[in-house]
Amino acid sequence: MTTQQIIEQIKFKKSFLTIGLDVDLEKIPTHLLQVEDPIFEFNKAIIDATHDLAVAYKPNIAFYEAYGIKGWISLKKTINYINEKYPEIFTIADAKRGDIGNTSSMYAKAFFEDLQFDSVTVAPYMGKDSVEPFLAFENKHTIMLALTSNDGAFDFQTLLVNKDQQEKELYKEVLETSKKWKNSENLMYVVGATKAEYFAEIRKIIPDSFLLVPGVGAQGGSLAEVCKYGLNSNIGLLINSSRAIIYASNRTDFAKKAREEALKIKQKMEVILQANL
Ligand SMILES: O=C(O)c1cc(=O)[nH]c(=O)n1[C@@H]1O[C@H](COP(=O)(O)O)[C@@H](O)[C@H]1O
């Protein structure tokens, strides 16, 4: 999927909501545990109930890997379902991969070619040769961790580093350096909604890039605060919420309640878009 197609979908739906499919068998309605593939049935119901309100779905791979082969089958069925029934939707494999070059190439094949995701999250710690294999795929997007939503973000990401006699935070160095990599137009970045006060600085370095922003909902980040400095002329934001939407109810009405939660965020986005476009 091209970036332009993502932008068009955002404008058409008046939404830049990403729904995180972080499926935990201990949290889904118990009546689903009797069906053959509870994870897929849960996802299918959530997707059918929310696809007009969201522009992207983000299965977090950990929640599938945790269930072994069965989990991978549920993941594959979920991505196939989205790609076949709702091909306009942007898909994010939240896998946070990255390794030496030949291994990263295999990760990229797994998520882009086998599973057919539009994008994958990667960690920048191993540097250029660990990320460029992902960037080589045309019309696929590599979403690199920049400033994450968790408290541990302050352990390394905000440390001052000295480069060319200039001090700057490590996450800024990550942003600046990655812009010079081959096919860097295929990069997007993760910035946590809990770090809203950093968005203005981040936009100075990467004014045009799309940002995946997790951390609203269960982690307490503010949509309005993020949008104040994070929006660009192409919107440039994909705001993710997982638990607050998919676990709005653990009864038979779970999909309806998930829709209600997604609608609340989507309506706020609509107002923000009206004021900014
Ligand atoms: O890459 C991510 O998506 C991510 C980065 C980050 O900094 N913080 C973060 O919460 N995430 C993911 O975003 C989702 C957030 O879920 P909720 O807190 O339930 O909305 C989880 O799948 C996290 O793994």
Side-chain angles (χ1 to χ4, degrees), residues 222-241:
S222 153
L223 172 67
E225 284 298 300
V226 167
C227 290
K228 206 148 94 191
Y229 298 109
L231 279 175
N232 66 17
S233 58
N234 281 326
I235 300 96
L237 295 175
L238 294 167
I239 306 270
N240 180 84
S241 178

Side-chain angles (χ1 to χ4, degrees), residues 129-228:
D129 53 334
S130 72
V131 180
E132 280 187 346
F134 293 95
L135 297 174
F137 285 75
E138 210 182 332
N139 293 332
K140 300 282 183 182
H141 305 262
T142 301
I143 312 181
M144 202 164 76
L145 300 180
L147 186 60
T148 56
S149 67
N150 57 330
D151 287 344
F154 299 114
D155 287 346
F156 303 123
Q157 296 163 21
T158 52
L159 286 185
L160 291 176
V161 293
N162 199 319
K163 194 171 175 196
D164 306 329
Q165 268 111 49
Q166 240 197 335
E167 275 204 329
K168 65 178 97 149
E169 288 98 335
L170 180 59
Y171 78 90
K172 286 189 183 168
E173 177 57 25
V174 166
L175 294 173
E176 275 163 16
T177 299
S178 65
K179 288 202 312 187
K180 298 175 201 148
W181 294 344
K182 197 171 173 204
N183 300 315
S184 64
E185 67 280 5
N186 295 334
L187 272 174
M188 297 182 179
Y189 299 90
V190 174
V191 183
T194 52
K195 306 288 191 300
E197 66 274 25
Y198 291 80
F199 275 76
E201 285 291 296
I202 287 170
R203 276 298 183 212
K204 282 187 200 159
I205 306 169
I206 43 161
D208 301 324
S209 304
F210 257 87
L211 306 180
L212 171 64
V213 185
V216 299
Q219 297 178 52
S222 153
L223 172 67
E225 284 298 300
V226 167
C227 290
K228 206 148 94 191

